[in-house]
Amino acid sequence: MDHNGRDDDRKKEDKKEEENGLSVERVFENQEVPSWRNQLTLRAFVVSFVLSILFSFIVMKLNLTTGIIPSLNVSAGLLGFFFIKTWTKFAERSGLLKQPFTRQENTVIQTCVVASSGIAFSGGFGSYLFGMSEAVAKQSTEHTDAFKNPSLSWMIGFLFVVSFLGLFSVVPLRKVMIVDFKLTYPSGTATAHLINSFHTPAGAKLAKKQVKVLGKFFSFSFLWGVFQWFYTAGDGCGFASFPSLGLKAYENQFFFDFSATYVGVGMICPYIINVSVLLGGILSWGLMWPLIDTKKGDWYPADLEASSLHGLQGYKVFIAIALILGDGLYNFFKVLSRTLAALFFQLRVRNATSNLPIADRSSPESSKISYDEQQRTRLFLKDQIPTWFSIAGYVAIAAISTATLPHIFHELKWYYILVIYIFAPTLAFCNAYGCGLTDWSLASTYGKLAIFVIGAWAGASHGGVLAGLAACGVMMNIVSTASDLSQDFKTGYLTLSSPRSVCEPTDWHCNGLHNFP
């Protein structure tokens, strides 16, 4: 009798939820959820490939200039929806449409794009790989042989053996973070809500309007760039070097370069970041560097080149690095302490009823579980990725990487790599957990810690600089991939996408390509 009463109450709650319009999955109740293999289509990977190239250019431009990379998940989801929707409409009119466009396929597209463009950041093309070059080595040290110039052959091999480890390290804990701890992952949640809304009749109309606005501003930005090109004859010429604030300000690097990219980044980034960057620019280029420049011949030799780290450039670099490291370590310990405190609280609550959840165990039943949660949890746990497979994959790739990396970087000994891989899963979990709370990945901070630890262990006389930079790359790829994949798991959870379909494009397994168009 009590059981029937609970069922009646549950039905009443679901009906009330449906009437109030709060249930997302009720809207898609009559749509069959495709299997994880059917979520991986050739058209999705073709669109992902095109968007990945575009987004990688954007990330590289920002990486080499401002160093600020905003979240691109929402943009990837919107553009993926637009391109595939256009594709399917054309195929439907031609009578060639075999499979309708689903939100799960949309999730696969944004996962591929974010994974690809994420490599442009965590791959170190604007940071540690760039720091290994001969040009940088000549500025920083007398030993010009302590460098490794970027080469496509060894960079591809390096990224291939280190980029998959973060994936295997976080997969066994996906249920803990998404289902049991219910971490927010704001960017992943926002992307999921956007994708869900796109695939409703009202949402499709809204997406059409958004794409129109996007197209207008894209066209304006592109045409503005072409217009500027006609007036650029070389370096220091054209709108990018126009003394808009006066010649004296221009001499101290104060001018507007009319770049639409920076305007767009300023619109996406929170105002506190924009204000901080502006304040830093005014204090440094407006006050500090001109004052230090007057001390030429007193604080440093007057006959040095402008790029020498023994002169004014040294003050610029090391003062900025000191500020970044100090603030980075503060935020690292702040986020880490918050992560550990939240994790401890979660475990205390769960220990009152059960043991620590793992991927292969079911969650304890809650007294009030909404229809949406029931559907999402059921499908999220349906296509399990075995824990043993994740552990075996991590160990196998770690072994290959430990044997391979010393041949790429002779200064990076095998036991340095082994120590990194022992601690990496814990750090990857901390970064993924902290990202779920704050939407903030501290991958670059973990990379800096690896530079200090491995660099000091190796010693300057034994190639500590190169060893530290290579260790930074290993650590950044692991912890960055872990947090990015966790965001994608959250998006997949909220859109009823299989964890396998989320993992497969990230791991670039193409055995699911079919059902074209």
Side-chain angles (χ1 to χ4, degrees):
M1 188 72 180
D2 292 339
H3 180 70
N4 293 332
R6 284 197 299 270
D7 288 343
D8 292 339
D9 292 339
R10 177 68 56 80
K11 291 178 181 177
K12 289 179 181 178
E13 287 179 7
D14 290 343
K15 187 175 181 182
K16 184 178 179 181
E17 191 178 55
E18 184 179 2
E19 290 173 353
N20 293 335
L22 298 176
S23 176
V24 174
E25 300 309 327
R26 289 290 185 188
V27 178
F28 301 98
E29 189 174 20
N30 296 326
Q31 297 182 13
E32 182 182 357
V33 178
S35 65
W36 72 271
R37 291 185 179 275
N38 290 329
Q39 294 173 22
L40 302 172
T41 61
L42 180 59
R43 67 191 180 197
F45 280 91
V46 170
V47 171
S48 300
F49 178 73
V50 175
L51 291 179
S52 295
I53 295 174
L54 173 64
F55 277 66
S56 294
F57 271 99
I58 295 172
V59 171
M60 281 301 299
K61 170 70 183 290
L62 299 176
N63 206 12
L64 292 170
T65 51
T66 64
I68 301 172
I69 313 295
S71 176
L72 300 173
N73 300 55
V74 173
S75 303
L78 174 62
L79 289 175
F81 174 83
F82 169 71
F83 283 116
I84 294 292
K85 201 68 177 176
T86 304
W87 187 322
T88 53
K89 279 187 177 180
F90 176 78
E92 187 175 9
R93 290 175 182 175
S94 305
L96 300 174
L97 184 64
K98 296 180 181 179
Q99 179 179 341
F101 181 39
T102 63
R103 54 190 176 137
Q104 290 79 22
E105 192 176 350
N106 204 161
T107 302
V108 169
I109 294 172
Q110 79 86 28
T111 300
C112 288
V113 175
V114 171
S116 300
S117 59
I119 292 293
F121 168 71
S122 62
F125 297 102
S127 54
Y128 57 86
L129 292 183
F130 196 53
M132 296 177 183
S133 64
E134 184 179 5
V136 175
K138 286 181 176 179
Q139 296 179 24
S140 59
T141 180
E142 305 296 334
H143 304 285
T144 57
D145 58 335
F147 63 86
K148 189 175 183 65
N149 282 319
S151 173
L152 196 60
S153 57
W154 71 259
M155 286 193 299
I156 291 176
F158 169 72
L159 291 175
F160 188 80
V161 297
V162 300
S163 296
F164 300 113
L165 285 159
L167 197 141
F168 287 111
S169 65
V170 78
V171 163
L173 298 169
R174 70 193 183 282
K175 176 181 174 292
V176 177
M177 293 185 286
I178 304 299
V179 178
D180 296 295
F181 290 166
K182 294 180 173 59
L183 297 180
T184 307
Y185 291 103
S187 291
T189 300
T191 306
H193 289 322
L194 188 75
I195 291 174
N196 284 332
S197 68
F198 284 166
H199 291 266
T200 60
K205 293 181 181 178
L206 177 61
K208 189 176 181 180
K209 292 180 181 179
Q210 291 175 331
V211 170
K212 283 184 177 179
V213 174
L214 185 69
K216 290 179 182 178
F217 282 94
F218 170 80
S219 301
F220 170 77
S221 177
F222 178 77
L223 293 175
W224 175 244
V226 173
F227 176 76
Q228 291 184 80
W229 177 78
F230 283 107
Y231 292 89
T232 304
D235 295 337
C237 178
F239 283 92
S241 301
F242 187 78
S244 51
L245 301 177
L247 293 174
K248 191 64 178 177
Y250 179 78
E251 291 176 4
N252 290 287
Q253 303 298 312
F254 271 95
F255 61 93
F256 182 58
D257 67 352
F258 297 93
S259 172
T261 300
Y262 301 144
V263 175
V265 172
M267 291 178 176
I268 295 176
C269 290
Y271 71 90
I272 191 65
I273 293 179
N274 295 325
V275 172
S276 300
V277 172
L278 177 62
L279 181 62
I282 293 173
L283 288 176
S284 58
W285 294 97
L287 295 174
M288 294 177 64
W289 309 154
L291 289 175
I292 295 175
D293 190 50
T294 61
K295 301 296 183 180
K296 184 186 298 182
D298 184 15
W299 288 11
Y300 56 90
D303 57 347
L304 293 174
E305 295 182 2
S307 61
S308 175
L309 290 179
H310 297 288
L312 177 60
Q313 183 69 8
Y315 285 96
K316 294 179 182 179
V317 171
F318 292 113
I319 290 175
I321 288 177
L323 288 172
I324 293 171
L325 285 178
D327 186 65
L329 286 175
Y330 161 73
N331 285 294
F332 169 73
F333 288 116
K334 182 179 74 173
V335 173
L336 183 63
S337 61
R338 182 178 174 182
T339 298
L340 294 177
L343 181 61
F344 177 73
F345 175 77
Q346 292 274 14
L347 293 177
R348 281 191 63 184
V349 172
R350 290 197 59 79
N351 282 337
T353 56
S354 64
N355 294 324
L356 176 68
I358 58 175
D360 294 334
R361 295 181 186 174
S362 59
S363 301
E365 293 185 3
S366 176
S367 56
K368 292 182 179 180
I369 302 177
S370 66
Y371 174 78
D372 284 4
E373 262 191 273
Q374 291 177 14
Q375 290 293 97
R376 290 165 178 170
T377 303
R378 179 178 64 83
L379 289 169
F380 189 74
L381 300 179
K382 178 183 176 183
D383 295 323
Q384 290 283 355
I385 302 172
T387 302
W388 67 264
F389 177 79
S390 302
I391 296 174
Y394 184 88
V395 172
I397 295 180
I400 295 172
S401 179
T402 304
T404 304
L405 288 181
H407 294 284
I408 301 176
F409 304 101
H410 300 295
E411 297 81 4
L412 190 64
K413 305 302 181 184
W414 66 269
Y415 41 89
Y416 300 160
I417 306 168
L418 183 62
V419 170
I420 292 174
Y421 288 155
I422 290 173
F423 290 99
T426 303
L427 300 178
F429 171 74
C430 290
N431 191 47
Y433 193 97
C435 187
L437 296 173
T438 64
D439 203 32
W440 192 359
S441 174
L442 296 175
S444 58
T445 304
Y446 284 101
K448 293 181 182 71
L449 290 177
I451 290 177
F452 286 127
V453 174
I454 302 301
W457 187 1
S461 60
H462 294 86
V465 175
L466 278 179
L469 289 172
C472 170
V474 175
M475 185 61 73
M476 274 189 66
N477 275 281
I478 294 174
V479 297
S480 178
T481 302
S483 61
D484 290 346
L485 183 60
S486 298
Q487 292 273 17
D488 294 332
F489 275 141
K490 184 67 175 184
T491 304
Y493 173 76
L494 294 174
T495 58
L496 300 189
S497 303
S498 170
R500 290 192 178 187
S501 68
V502 172
C503 268
E504 285 288 327
T506 307
D507 207 11
W508 292 109
H509 288 176
C510 298
N511 58 344
L513 302 182
H514 60 298
N515 290 335
F516 179 83

